Amino acid sequence: MFFIEAKRIIVVIFGSLLVAISLNFFLINANVYASGFAGAAQLTSSVLEDFLGIRISTGILLLLFNIPVFILGWFKVGKGFTIYSIVSVIFATLFMGALPVLSVSEDIILNAVFGGVIAGVGVGLSLKLGASTGGMDIVAMVLSRLQDKPIGTYFLLLNGVIIVLAGIVYEPENALYTMLTLYVTTAVIDMIHTRHEKVTAMIVTLKAEELQQAIHQKMVRGITILPAKGAYSKEDKSMLYLVITRYELYDLETIIKEVDPNAFTNIVQTVGIFGFFRREGEVVSK
């Protein structure tokens, strides 16, 4: 367990470094904005300096914007998840303060693309190990646990505000390049870790009862258990069928590895669901 947690912390810190590199080396000087709270902090920093003469670094603003979200996450999501988010944001702030703000390229398209790629790798690696980069990820986690509504709407809303303001305050082209960065970032995260709101897990195992109990101890999700039979081995098995949110994917993978490392698991994108999808705190009537 110590090595697993150490690995997560190292990856989270490395992800923070990549986010800082993306902002300081590519996006800030180009006036192209990142997604989520990082983009909001970046835009606020630019506006304060250019129009009010107040210089506050993007890293400091990112930390300030995340403080109320950390408090929300601590009470509504869980201490472990929030602690990793705090580590991520603190190190991103430190790296952004330590690294110089410079332009690797004068080409704004190259800045937008490479900034988006590097940020996407940083965020995707953190998400893949069940950690978070803070900001909208924690907000989305809370909403996904409390209500069954499209989380993408909230990401789209915040990023849409950033894009519109970038176009109004500076130049319309800045809004277009920001859209390019957001698209590239999302595409890279997609390759590393699913960004879909819900996924379906089909787990073929010989330890259905133990897996069901372990999953229900960790998450609030309904499970359907179906009989299965190996075509080659002719061995009788069971298949657990369940739909989870993307934030629960790491927990599910960890449970399967602990209970039945030999289980075969297929994770597929869930476009939509109809019917009852249990949410945290909801009581199932018998």
Side-chain angles (χ1 to χ4, degrees):
M1 183 60 69
F2 171 78
F3 290 106
I4 292 175
E5 295 304 320
K7 178 182 177 182
R8 291 174 78 178
I9 291 176
I10 291 171
V11 171
V12 166
I13 293 174
F14 180 66
S16 300
L17 175 61
L18 292 180
V19 170
I21 290 173
S22 167
L23 289 164
N24 281 24
F25 290 0
F26 296 95
L27 302 181
I28 290 178
N29 274 350
N31 279 332
V32 177
Y33 301 97
S35 64
F37 277 28
Q42 190 184 348
L43 182 59
T44 303
S45 177
S46 298
V47 170
L48 288 175
E49 183 173 0
D50 294 342
F51 295 95
L52 299 177
I54 301 173
R55 184 174 179 81
I56 304 178
S57 72
T58 301
I60 296 298
L61 288 172
L62 178 62
L63 181 61
L64 293 176
F65 286 173
N66 272 281
I67 289 175
V69 179
F70 289 152
I71 296 172
L72 176 68
W74 187 269
F75 292 103
K76 292 293 185 180
V77 176
K79 295 179 176 60
F81 187 86
T82 307
I83 287 172
Y84 286 116
S85 302
I86 293 172
V87 170
S88 174
V89 173
I90 288 177
F91 272 93
T93 301
L94 293 174
F95 286 135
M96 290 177 69
L99 295 173
V101 178
L102 52 86
S103 296
V104 174
S105 171
E106 297 300 322
D107 190 319
I108 193 169
I109 295 180
L110 288 178
N111 284 318
V113 172
F114 279 93
V117 168
I118 294 172
V121 173
V123 174
L125 288 175
S126 297
L127 288 174
K128 190 172 182 64
L129 289 185
S132 164
T133 52
M136 282 302 293
D137 276 327
I138 291 181
V139 175
M141 178 69 124
V142 173
L143 292 172
S144 70
R145 290 190 170 193
L146 295 179
Q147 54 187 333
D148 187 22
K149 292 184 179 180
I151 301 305
T153 303
Y154 301 97
F155 285 103
L156 181 63
L157 180 62
L158 178 61
N159 290 328
V161 170
I162 294 171
I163 291 169
V164 171
L165 288 178
I168 294 174
V169 174
Y170 293 100
E171 297 179 9
E173 279 191 354
N174 289 90
L176 298 177
Y177 290 126
T178 296
M179 290 178 64
L180 175 61
T181 298
L182 299 180
Y183 174 80
V184 172
T185 300
T186 303
V188 172
I189 292 172
D190 255 336
M191 290 188 289
I192 298 174
H193 181 276
T194 176
R195 287 289 289 189
H196 307 301
E197 179 193 354
K198 295 182 180 70
V199 295
T200 298
M202 291 170 281
I203 310 163
V204 180
T205 177
L206 291 169
K207 300 180 178 180
E209 199 68 31
E210 296 95 322
L211 264 179
Q212 176 264 315
Q213 292 176 6
I215 292 170
H216 278 160
Q217 285 176 359
K218 186 73 175 179
M219 60 184 71
V220 185
R221 290 289 168 250
I223 300 173
T224 300
I225 301 179
L226 305 170
K229 187 172 185 176
Y232 179 76
S233 66
K234 308 301 181 184
E235 192 173 21
D236 290 325
K237 302 180 180 180
S238 298
M239 183 176 76
L240 278 66
Y241 182 97
L242 67 157
V243 179
I244 59 174
T245 64
R246 67 183 178 90
Y247 295 98
E248 296 166 320
L249 185 56
Y250 177 80
D251 288 334
L252 181 65
E253 292 175 353
T254 302
I255 291 169
I256 294 171
K257 288 177 182 177
E258 290 176 353
V259 177
D260 185 8
N262 296 318
F264 175 80
T265 305
N266 184 24
I267 305 292
V268 297
Q269 173 190 355
T270 300
V271 177
I273 58 172
F274 298 95
F276 181 69
F277 184 73
R278 191 177 176 190
R279 300 186 291 273
E280 186 170 340
E282 198 163 19
V283 179
V284 180
S285 58
K286 296 182 180 180

